Amino acid sequence: METKIRTEKVCLKKEKLSANIEQIVENDMSLADYYGDIVKILGNTVTVNVFSAVITGDKAVVEGSVRIRVMYADNEGKAEIFETDCPFSRSIDVRGASADDRVNVAVNSEQVTCKAVNPRRAEIRGSVSLKVSVSAMEECEIVSADSADFCHVLPCKADGYFLAAGASKSCTLTQSADIDSNIRGSRIYRTDVMTTVNEVRTIRNKMMFKGAAVLDVVMLDSDGNFVSQRMNIPVNQIADIEGIDEDCNCLVTLAAGSADVRLIADTPQSPAHIEAALIVNADIDAYRKMSLNAVSEAYSPVCEIICEKQNIKCTGDIVRVNETHTVRSEIDFSSCKAAVITDVAVRKIRYTAQPSENTMVVKGNIHFGIVVADNNNDKLYFERISDFEYKKQFGEDVSECDFAPDISVNAINCSLNENSQAVISTELRINGFMNVCRQLNIVTAIEKGQTKDRAEDDGIITVYFASKGERIWDIARQQGSSPELIRQLNELDEDILSTDRMLVFELE
């Protein structure tokens, strides 16, 4: 009797770690002599730069810095900005860590406050929350429906896209851009980076992807006015990735790990310009379409068997989403007698994505930081929240769909109407992949045990009164027969009985 089990191999993405770490931010900042005194803190921006995230031994090591820019009003009523960096290095235990594991770091939230201790010193206190995930590709063997003859197996189709390869790549991008106005005395208040992938091509063991990193720089000039500059930095990379070929469907997402942006003032050698250096991380998953003859259940009438099973995610379709969605917000500033909106920034975007019938629904809110000036040109800072909802229609039921888009600000416009009401139009870029998938509980191994004792009446025809809706498989397993034999003896071509009926079968 054949006891060797035939198997097929698939690759799965195994998550080894998903952890949130809190990075404390504490800094006492004394102003340089050329800064004016602090009269009132107007607001701050927080930028988390991750320089590296790697596996070292059995730990994930994350190194970076938290850059805080604080805006305040001085004793002449002008807005000033000073900045400080708080470097950090964190290590997290990872069970079963390997040097080939992929480490991803995302900023979950930040809460940093700044308080003036005296006109020349400020205290910065707070924390940022970082989500650190570690994953690896793991080869898994599944039992084939064309298996050994000592047991019966229930086949199931696992048609869809399975992982062929995966990798994380980093690249450093640099670019400079001239600026129209004289930037002597100007300070950077915030930098925002939006990344997108436009083209992906693959050949054997190589991938080429093109995209862009859009850098928005907002500065405060020497007159206390905000000016902005946008830089489009092209991404054009070739990566060596073993296991991919022309038939792979590749998911490539880009994210900015860090952004070092500097203002260079006029010199005899060069005009005023911006210099930017970005670290951009590419997360790559390559899928290959496969049709697997898997097994969902197994039993044997002649011997004991032990089945090992595992939940496997089978991706049926991969849909690219790269769209804009405009959110209109109205915020009342009549109580402070606002005369003009001097700056609007998106501090955070929070969202959840849930499928509903044939629609993916993304709900969330936008956290604004807004600087206004009153009739006396005094600057005031406010934080406000506005809700949004985005829907993406899909051609089939997406109850089993994964969607974790990257949502960034593509453009933002604001005006103040005659009722001191700010009307903010925020154009969001929603970029990512929807994975329509299903979970399959598949047999990964079958172990043969002791032979069962055979009764003296084995082989005798037996009668069973079956009910509508019963599976032939369940009846055969319960009675110690085989599904094929029951179908043959009763001239059945259905797996689930459509009526009550009497069945005859023979024990194996």
Side-chain angles (χ1 to χ4, degrees), residues 208-252:
M208 181 275 289
F209 58 90
K210 293 182 178 180
V214 180
L215 172 66
D216 285 324
V217 184
V218 176
M219 299 159 280
L220 188 70
D221 67 15
S222 55
D223 294 325
N225 300 314
F226 286 97
V227 294
S228 62
Q229 180 89 2
R230 170 164 284 194
M231 301 171 64
N232 287 279
I233 306 175
V235 178
N236 191 347
Q237 295 290 314
I238 297 176
D240 294 325
I241 304 175
E242 186 176 351
I244 66 171
D245 54 33
E246 295 86 344
D247 296 329
C248 287
N249 193 340
C250 297
L251 278 60
V252 182

mmCIF file of all heavy atoms in Angstrom, residues 208-252:
data_model
loop_
_atom_site.group_PDB
_atom_site.id
_atom_site.type_symbol
_atom_site.label_atom_id
_atom_site.label_comp_id
_atom_site.label_asym_id
_atom_site.label_seq_id
_atom_site.Cartn_x
_atom_site.Cartn_y
_atom_site.Cartn_z
ATOM 1 N N MET A 208 12.376 46.531 -12.648
ATOM 2 C CA MET A 208 12.574 47.958 -12.849
ATOM 3 C C MET A 208 11.279 48.668 -12.471
ATOM 4 O O MET A 208 10.206 48.276 -12.903
ATOM 5 C CB MET A 208 12.937 48.258 -14.303
ATOM 6 C CG MET A 208 13.197 49.744 -14.595
ATOM 7 S SD MET A 208 11.690 50.707 -14.943
ATOM 8 C CE MET A 208 11.256 50.052 -16.552
ATOM 9 N N PHE A 209 11.390 49.681 -11.621
ATOM 10 C CA PHE A 209 10.190 50.447 -11.288
ATOM 11 C C PHE A 209 10.498 51.936 -11.354
ATOM 12 O O PHE A 209 11.595 52.390 -11.034
ATOM 13 C CB PHE A 209 9.620 50.063 -9.919
ATOM 14 C CG PHE A 209 10.553 50.216 -8.757
ATOM 15 C CD1 PHE A 209 10.622 51.410 -8.046
ATOM 16 C CD2 PHE A 209 11.359 49.160 -8.348
ATOM 17 C CE1 PHE A 209 11.467 51.552 -6.967
ATOM 18 C CE2 PHE A 209 12.209 49.297 -7.269
ATOM 19 C CZ PHE A 209 12.270 50.482 -6.578
ATOM 20 N N LYS A 210 9.496 52.672 -11.828
ATOM 21 C CA LYS A 210 9.596 54.116 -11.951
ATOM 22 C C LYS A 210 8.474 54.755 -11.144
ATOM 23 O O LYS A 210 7.375 54.213 -11.043
ATOM 24 C CB LYS A 210 9.491 54.548 -13.410
ATOM 25 C CG LYS A 210 10.648 54.109 -14.294
ATOM 26 C CD LYS A 210 10.474 54.628 -15.710
ATOM 27 C CE LYS A 210 11.651 54.227 -16.591
ATOM 28 N NZ LYS A 210 11.503 54.733 -17.980
ATOM 29 N N GLY A 211 8.768 55.911 -10.611
ATOM 30 C CA GLY A 211 7.764 56.654 -9.851
ATOM 31 C C GLY A 211 8.280 58.043 -9.554
ATOM 32 O O GLY A 211 9.114 58.595 -10.277
ATOM 33 N N ALA A 212 7.778 58.595 -8.465
ATOM 34 C CA ALA A 212 8.183 59.959 -8.096
ATOM 35 C C ALA A 212 7.989 60.173 -6.609
ATOM 36 O O ALA A 212 7.117 59.554 -5.983
ATOM 37 C CB ALA A 212 7.382 60.992 -8.883
ATOM 38 N N ALA A 213 8.832 61.023 -6.054
ATOM 39 C CA ALA A 213 8.661 61.527 -4.698
ATOM 40 C C ALA A 213 8.383 63.019 -4.808
ATOM 41 O O ALA A 213 9.221 63.771 -5.332
ATOM 42 C CB ALA A 213 9.896 61.260 -3.851
ATOM 43 N N VAL A 214 7.209 63.433 -4.387
ATOM 44 C CA VAL A 214 6.819 64.846 -4.461
ATOM 45 C C VAL A 214 7.070 65.470 -3.090
ATOM 46 O O VAL A 214 6.470 65.051 -2.088
ATOM 47 C CB VAL A 214 5.348 64.996 -4.878
ATOM 48 C CG1 VAL A 214 4.969 66.470 -4.952
ATOM 49 C CG2 VAL A 214 5.100 64.319 -6.221
ATOM 50 N N LEU A 215 7.964 66.447 -3.049
ATOM 51 C CA LEU A 215 8.355 67.083 -1.801
ATOM 52 C C LEU A 215 7.766 68.481 -1.738
ATOM 53 O O LEU A 215 8.019 69.313 -2.617
ATOM 54 C CB LEU A 215 9.883 67.141 -1.698
ATOM 55 C CG LEU A 215 10.468 67.944 -0.531
ATOM 56 C CD1 LEU A 215 10.118 67.290 0.794
ATOM 57 C CD2 LEU A 215 11.981 68.077 -0.697
ATOM 58 N N ASP A 216 6.975 68.738 -0.712
ATOM 59 C CA ASP A 216 6.440 70.082 -0.462
ATOM 60 C C ASP A 216 7.187 70.691 0.723
ATOM 61 O O ASP A 216 7.259 70.089 1.806
ATOM 62 C CB ASP A 216 4.940 70.020 -0.148
ATOM 63 C CG ASP A 216 4.106 69.772 -1.391
ATOM 64 O OD1 ASP A 216 4.473 70.278 -2.463
ATOM 65 O OD2 ASP A 216 3.098 69.051 -1.300
ATOM 66 N N VAL A 217 7.724 71.880 0.511
ATOM 67 C CA VAL A 217 8.471 72.576 1.555
ATOM 68 C C VAL A 217 7.749 73.891 1.855
ATOM 69 O O VAL A 217 7.519 74.696 0.948
ATOM 70 C CB VAL A 217 9.918 72.867 1.106
ATOM 71 C CG1 VAL A 217 10.702 73.512 2.243
ATOM 72 C CG2 VAL A 217 10.596 71.589 0.636
ATOM 73 N N VAL A 218 7.373 74.082 3.108
ATOM 74 C CA VAL A 218 6.720 75.320 3.538
ATOM 75 C C VAL A 218 7.694 76.078 4.429
ATOM 76 O O VAL A 218 8.231 75.531 5.393
ATOM 77 C CB VAL A 218 5.406 75.031 4.284
ATOM 78 C CG1 VAL A 218 4.794 76.333 4.798
ATOM 79 C CG2 VAL A 218 4.423 74.314 3.369
ATOM 80 N N MET A 219 7.936 77.357 4.069
ATOM 81 C CA MET A 219 8.918 78.182 4.776
ATOM 82 C C MET A 219 8.263 79.455 5.307
ATOM 83 O O MET A 219 7.243 79.907 4.777
ATOM 84 C CB MET A 219 10.058 78.555 3.822
ATOM 85 C CG MET A 219 10.828 77.368 3.279
ATOM 86 S SD MET A 219 11.715 77.772 1.753
ATOM 87 C CE MET A 219 10.368 77.659 0.550
ATOM 88 N N LEU A 220 8.872 79.990 6.313
ATOM 89 C CA LEU A 220 8.469 81.279 6.863
ATOM 90 C C LEU A 220 9.551 82.284 6.493
ATOM 91 O O LEU A 220 10.717 82.135 6.883
ATOM 92 C CB LEU A 220 8.323 81.188 8.380
ATOM 93 C CG LEU A 220 7.720 82.401 9.088
ATOM 94 C CD1 LEU A 220 6.231 82.526 8.756
ATOM 95 C CD2 LEU A 220 7.899 82.278 10.593
ATOM 96 N N ASP A 221 9.181 83.317 5.704
ATOM 97 C CA ASP A 221 10.203 84.259 5.259
ATOM 98 C C ASP A 221 10.468 85.314 6.329
ATOM 99 O O ASP A 221 9.867 85.319 7.402
ATOM 100 C CB ASP A 221 9.819 84.882 3.910
ATOM 101 C CG ASP A 221 8.586 85.795 3.986
ATOM 102 O OD1 ASP A 221 8.196 86.179 5.105
ATOM 103 O OD2 ASP A 221 8.021 86.100 2.927
ATOM 104 N N SER A 222 11.376 86.213 6.016
ATOM 105 C CA SER A 222 11.813 87.202 7.009
ATOM 106 C C SER A 222 10.727 88.205 7.368
ATOM 107 O O SER A 222 10.823 88.903 8.382
ATOM 108 C CB SER A 222 13.057 87.948 6.490
ATOM 109 O OG SER A 222 12.784 88.528 5.218
ATOM 110 N N ASP A 223 9.668 88.296 6.546
ATOM 111 C CA ASP A 223 8.554 89.195 6.846
ATOM 112 C C ASP A 223 7.429 88.503 7.602
ATOM 113 O O ASP A 223 6.376 89.105 7.852
ATOM 114 C CB ASP A 223 7.996 89.778 5.540
ATOM 115 C CG ASP A 223 9.002 90.683 4.843
ATOM 116 O OD1 ASP A 223 9.760 91.366 5.555
ATOM 117 O OD2 ASP A 223 9.040 90.673 3.597
ATOM 118 N N GLY A 224 7.634 87.221 7.961
ATOM 119 C CA GLY A 224 6.608 86.488 8.695
ATOM 120 C C GLY A 224 5.528 85.896 7.818
ATOM 121 O O GLY A 224 4.466 85.511 8.321
ATOM 122 N N ASN A 225 5.794 85.794 6.508
ATOM 123 C CA ASN A 225 4.826 85.197 5.588
ATOM 124 C C ASN A 225 5.262 83.784 5.206
ATOM 125 O O ASN A 225 6.453 83.484 5.111
ATOM 126 C CB ASN A 225 4.706 86.045 4.320
ATOM 127 C CG ASN A 225 4.248 87.458 4.614
ATOM 128 O OD1 ASN A 225 3.304 87.678 5.373
ATOM 129 N ND2 ASN A 225 4.930 88.438 4.022
ATOM 130 N N PHE A 226 4.249 82.923 4.969
ATOM 131 C CA PHE A 226 4.536 81.558 4.555
ATOM 132 C C PHE A 226 4.689 81.503 3.036
ATOM 133 O O PHE A 226 3.872 82.069 2.287
ATOM 134 C CB PHE A 226 3.411 80.607 4.983
ATOM 135 C CG PHE A 226 3.411 80.306 6.450
ATOM 136 C CD1 PHE A 226 2.591 81.002 7.322
ATOM 137 C CD2 PHE A 226 4.241 79.326 6.969
ATOM 138 C CE1 PHE A 226 2.588 80.733 8.674
ATOM 139 C CE2 PHE A 226 4.245 79.045 8.325
ATOM 140 C CZ PHE A 226 3.421 79.743 9.185
ATOM 141 N N VAL A 227 5.725 80.825 2.574
ATOM 142 C CA VAL A 227 5.936 80.569 1.147
ATOM 143 C C VAL A 227 6.182 79.073 0.997
ATOM 144 O O VAL A 227 6.687 78.415 1.909
ATOM 145 C CB VAL A 227 7.123 81.378 0.579
ATOM 146 C CG1 VAL A 227 6.826 82.848 0.598
ATOM 147 C CG2 VAL A 227 8.404 81.062 1.348
ATOM 148 N N SER A 228 5.796 78.539 -0.163
ATOM 149 C CA SER A 228 5.929 77.101 -0.365
ATOM 150 C C SER A 228 6.635 76.811 -1.672
ATOM 151 O O SER A 228 6.629 77.626 -2.597
ATOM 152 C CB SER A 228 4.561 76.422 -0.344
ATOM 153 O OG SER A 228 3.747 76.899 -1.390
ATOM 154 N N GLN A 229 7.238 75.660 -1.731
ATOM 155 C CA GLN A 229 7.948 75.197 -2.922
ATOM 156 C C GLN A 229 7.682 73.705 -3.082
ATOM 157 O O GLN A 229 7.757 72.946 -2.114
ATOM 158 C CB GLN A 229 9.447 75.449 -2.774
ATOM 159 C CG GLN A 229 10.288 75.016 -3.949
ATOM 160 C CD GLN A 229 10.438 76.106 -4.997
ATOM 161 O OE1 GLN A 229 9.929 77.208 -4.801
ATOM 162 N NE2 GLN A 229 11.115 75.802 -6.080
ATOM 163 N N ARG A 230 7.375 73.275 -4.312
ATOM 164 C CA ARG A 230 7.146 71.854 -4.594
ATOM 165 C C ARG A 230 8.258 71.341 -5.498
ATOM 166 O O ARG A 230 8.603 71.960 -6.509
ATOM 167 C CB ARG A 230 5.784 71.628 -5.237
ATOM 168 C CG ARG A 230 5.578 70.220 -5.774
ATOM 169 C CD ARG A 230 4.122 69.905 -6.054
ATOM 170 N NE ARG A 230 3.388 69.649 -4.823
ATOM 171 C CZ ARG A 230 2.180 69.083 -4.783
ATOM 172 N NH1 ARG A 230 1.565 68.737 -5.904
ATOM 173 N NH2 ARG A 230 1.579 68.877 -3.644
ATOM 174 N N MET A 231 8.790 70.178 -5.134
ATOM 175 C CA MET A 231 9.848 69.548 -5.915
ATOM 176 C C MET A 231 9.400 68.138 -6.310
ATOM 177 O O MET A 231 8.940 67.370 -5.470
ATOM 178 C CB MET A 231 11.152 69.459 -5.099
ATOM 179 C CG MET A 231 11.686 70.799 -4.643
ATOM 180 S SD MET A 231 13.061 70.647 -3.472
ATOM 181 C CE MET A 231 14.306 69.854 -4.488
ATOM 182 N N ASN A 232 9.513 67.826 -7.598
ATOM 183 C CA ASN A 232 9.216 66.492 -8.099
ATOM 184 C C ASN A 232 10.538 65.760 -8.331
ATOM 185 O O ASN A 232 11.313 66.128 -9.218
ATOM 186 C CB ASN A 232 8.415 66.561 -9.406
ATOM 187 C CG ASN A 232 6.990 66.993 -9.169
ATOM 188 O OD1 ASN A 232 6.145 66.203 -8.795
ATOM 189 N ND2 ASN A 232 6.714 68.271 -9.392
ATOM 190 N N ILE A 233 10.786 64.735 -7.541
ATOM 191 C CA ILE A 233 12.043 63.992 -7.605
ATOM 192 C C ILE A 233 11.755 62.623 -8.223
ATOM 193 O O ILE A 233 11.019 61.820 -7.650
ATOM 194 C CB ILE A 233 12.656 63.831 -6.203
ATOM 195 C CG1 ILE A 233 12.796 65.210 -5.533
ATOM 196 C CG2 ILE A 233 13.992 63.127 -6.281
ATOM 197 C CD1 ILE A 233 13.271 65.148 -4.104
ATOM 198 N N PRO A 234 12.291 62.338 -9.396
ATOM 199 C CA PRO A 234 11.986 61.064 -10.053
ATOM 200 C C PRO A 234 12.624 59.873 -9.327
ATOM 201 O O PRO A 234 13.702 59.988 -8.745
ATOM 202 C CB PRO A 234 12.556 61.233 -11.460
ATOM 203 C CG PRO A 234 13.620 62.275 -11.317
ATOM 204 C CD PRO A 234 13.163 63.191 -10.222
ATOM 205 N N VAL A 235 11.920 58.748 -9.381
ATOM 206 C CA VAL A 235 12.430 57.474 -8.852
ATOM 207 C C VAL A 235 12.569 56.522 -10.030
ATOM 208 O O VAL A 235 11.592 56.259 -10.742
ATOM 209 C CB VAL A 235 11.481 56.876 -7.799
ATOM 210 C CG1 VAL A 235 12.003 55.540 -7.307
ATOM 211 C CG2 VAL A 235 11.284 57.840 -6.638
ATOM 212 N N ASN A 236 13.759 56.019 -10.255
ATOM 213 C CA ASN A 236 14.027 55.094 -11.358
ATOM 214 C C ASN A 236 15.043 54.074 -10.862
ATOM 215 O O ASN A 236 16.233 54.363 -10.804
ATOM 216 C CB ASN A 236 14.552 55.848 -12.577
ATOM 217 C CG ASN A 236 14.581 54.979 -13.820
ATOM 218 O OD1 ASN A 236 14.440 53.763 -13.752
ATOM 219 N ND2 ASN A 236 14.779 55.613 -14.968
ATOM 220 N N GLN A 237 14.556 52.894 -10.485
ATOM 221 C CA GLN A 237 15.414 51.922 -9.827
ATOM 222 C C GLN A 237 15.334 50.552 -10.504
ATOM 223 O O GLN A 237 14.286 50.161 -11.025
ATOM 224 C CB GLN A 237 15.014 51.769 -8.354
ATOM 225 C CG GLN A 237 15.221 53.025 -7.525
ATOM 226 C CD GLN A 237 16.671 53.338 -7.300
ATOM 227 O OE1 GLN A 237 17.464 52.464 -6.963
ATOM 228 N NE2 GLN A 237 17.038 54.606 -7.501
ATOM 229 N N ILE A 238 16.444 49.830 -10.461
ATOM 230 C CA ILE A 238 16.508 48.435 -10.895
ATOM 231 C C ILE A 238 16.935 47.601 -9.687
ATOM 232 O O ILE A 238 17.941 47.922 -9.036
ATOM 233 C CB ILE A 238 17.497 48.240 -12.061
ATOM 234 C CG1 ILE A 238 17.017 49.024 -13.285
ATOM 235 C CG2 ILE A 238 17.640 46.762 -12.403
ATOM 236 C CD1 ILE A 238 17.972 48.962 -14.452
ATOM 237 N N ALA A 239 16.165 46.559 -9.380
ATOM 238 C CA ALA A 239 16.438 45.735 -8.208
ATOM 239 C C ALA A 239 16.621 44.281 -8.628
ATOM 240 O O ALA A 239 15.887 43.771 -9.483
ATOM 241 C CB ALA A 239 15.297 45.841 -7.198
ATOM 242 N N ASP A 240 17.620 43.618 -8.034
ATOM 243 C CA ASP A 240 17.820 42.186 -8.236
ATOM 244 C C ASP A 240 16.964 41.434 -7.229
ATOM 245 O O ASP A 240 17.173 41.550 -6.014
ATOM 246 C CB ASP A 240 19.294 41.812 -8.039
ATOM 247 C CG ASP A 240 20.194 42.426 -9.106
ATOM 248 O OD1 ASP A 240 19.741 42.528 -10.261
ATOM 249 O OD2 ASP A 240 21.332 42.805 -8.773
ATOM 250 N N ILE A 241 15.993 40.678 -7.728
ATOM 251 C CA ILE A 241 15.084 39.931 -6.856
ATOM 252 C C ILE A 241 14.971 38.508 -7.400
ATOM 253 O O ILE A 241 14.361 38.289 -8.453
ATOM 254 C CB ILE A 241 13.701 40.584 -6.771
ATOM 255 C CG1 ILE A 241 13.829 42.031 -6.311
ATOM 256 C CG2 ILE A 241 12.793 39.805 -5.822
ATOM 257 C CD1 ILE A 241 12.536 42.797 -6.308
ATOM 258 N N GLU A 242 15.550 37.577 -6.703
ATOM 259 C CA GLU A 242 15.539 36.191 -7.154
ATOM 260 C C GLU A 242 14.120 35.618 -7.077
ATOM 261 O O GLU A 242 13.413 35.806 -6.087
ATOM 262 C CB GLU A 242 16.485 35.356 -6.290
ATOM 263 C CG GLU A 242 16.651 33.919 -6.773
ATOM 264 C CD GLU A 242 17.656 33.138 -5.953
ATOM 265 O OE1 GLU A 242 18.350 33.762 -5.114
ATOM 266 O OE2 GLU A 242 17.747 31.921 -6.148
ATOM 267 N N GLY A 243 13.708 34.951 -8.161
ATOM 268 C CA GLY A 243 12.419 34.268 -8.166
ATOM 269 C C GLY A 243 11.347 34.940 -8.985
ATOM 270 O O GLY A 243 10.264 34.389 -9.154
ATOM 271 N N ILE A 244 11.596 36.168 -9.496
ATOM 272 C CA ILE A 244 10.575 36.833 -10.292
ATOM 273 C C ILE A 244 10.854 36.619 -11.777
ATOM 274 O O ILE A 244 11.979 36.320 -12.180
ATOM 275 C CB ILE A 244 10.489 38.346 -9.979
ATOM 276 C CG1 ILE A 244 11.774 39.068 -10.422
ATOM 277 C CG2 ILE A 244 10.212 38.590 -8.508
ATOM 278 C CD1 ILE A 244 11.669 40.560 -10.345
ATOM 279 N N ASP A 245 9.816 36.781 -12.577
ATOM 280 C CA ASP A 245 9.957 36.714 -14.027
ATOM 281 C C ASP A 245 8.861 37.561 -14.659
ATOM 282 O O ASP A 245 8.119 38.270 -13.965
ATOM 283 C CB ASP A 245 9.914 35.263 -14.531
ATOM 284 C CG ASP A 245 8.672 34.516 -14.066
ATOM 285 O OD1 ASP A 245 7.603 35.161 -13.937
ATOM 286 O OD2 ASP A 245 8.742 33.299 -13.848
ATOM 287 N N GLU A 246 8.726 37.464 -15.983
ATOM 288 C CA GLU A 246 7.780 38.305 -16.721
ATOM 289 C C GLU A 246 6.327 38.003 -16.372
ATOM 290 O O GLU A 246 5.450 38.840 -16.604
ATOM 291 C CB GLU A 246 7.983 38.132 -18.227
ATOM 292 C CG GLU A 246 9.330 38.625 -18.747
ATOM 293 C CD GLU A 246 10.431 37.571 -18.626
ATOM 294 O OE1 GLU A 246 10.247 36.592 -17.877
ATOM 295 O OE2 GLU A 246 11.460 37.732 -19.298
ATOM 296 N N ASP A 247 6.043 36.814 -15.835
ATOM 297 C CA ASP A 247 4.658 36.428 -15.536
ATOM 298 C C ASP A 247 4.190 36.903 -14.163
ATOM 299 O O ASP A 247 3.026 36.686 -13.810
ATOM 300 C CB ASP A 247 4.511 34.898 -15.622
ATOM 301 C CG ASP A 247 4.750 34.375 -17.025
ATOM 302 O OD1 ASP A 247 4.448 35.121 -17.983
ATOM 303 O OD2 ASP A 247 5.242 33.243 -17.159
ATOM 304 N N CYS A 248 5.063 37.501 -13.401
ATOM 305 C CA CYS A 248 4.693 37.905 -12.044
ATOM 306 C C CYS A 248 3.866 39.191 -12.051
ATOM 307 O O CYS A 248 4.105 40.098 -12.857
ATOM 308 C CB CYS A 248 5.943 38.118 -11.187
ATOM 309 S SG CYS A 248 6.772 36.590 -10.709
ATOM 310 N N ASN A 249 2.914 39.243 -11.152
ATOM 311 C CA ASN A 249 2.147 40.458 -10.883
ATOM 312 C C ASN A 249 2.751 41.086 -9.630
ATOM 313 O O ASN A 249 2.696 40.499 -8.553
ATOM 314 C CB ASN A 249 0.674 40.113 -10.673
ATOM 315 C CG ASN A 249 -0.213 41.339 -10.698
ATOM 316 O OD1 ASN A 249 0.256 42.456 -10.503
ATOM 317 N ND2 ASN A 249 -1.493 41.151 -10.918
ATOM 318 N N CYS A 250 3.341 42.268 -9.784
ATOM 319 C CA CYS A 250 4.154 42.837 -8.713
ATOM 320 C C CYS A 250 3.445 43.997 -8.017
ATOM 321 O O CYS A 250 2.882 44.876 -8.674
ATOM 322 C CB CYS A 250 5.493 43.305 -9.250
ATOM 323 S SG CYS A 250 6.488 41.951 -9.923
ATOM 324 N N LEU A 251 3.503 43.977 -6.695
ATOM 325 C CA LEU A 251 2.987 45.061 -5.874
ATOM 326 C C LEU A 251 4.178 45.806 -5.291
ATOM 327 O O LEU A 251 4.967 45.242 -4.530
ATOM 328 C CB LEU A 251 2.120 44.526 -4.737
ATOM 329 C CG LEU A 251 0.662 44.173 -5.041
ATOM 330 C CD1 LEU A 251 0.570 43.094 -6.103
ATOM 331 C CD2 LEU A 251 -0.056 43.721 -3.785
ATOM 332 N N VAL A 252 4.332 47.067 -5.687
ATOM 333 C CA VAL A 252 5.449 47.884 -5.218
ATOM 334 C C VAL A 252 4.882 49.129 -4.552
ATOM 335 O O VAL A 252 4.131 49.881 -5.167
ATOM 336 C CB VAL A 252 6.379 48.286 -6.373
ATOM 337 C CG1 VAL A 252 7.562 49.093 -5.845
ATOM 338 C CG2 VAL A 252 6.870 47.058 -7.131
#
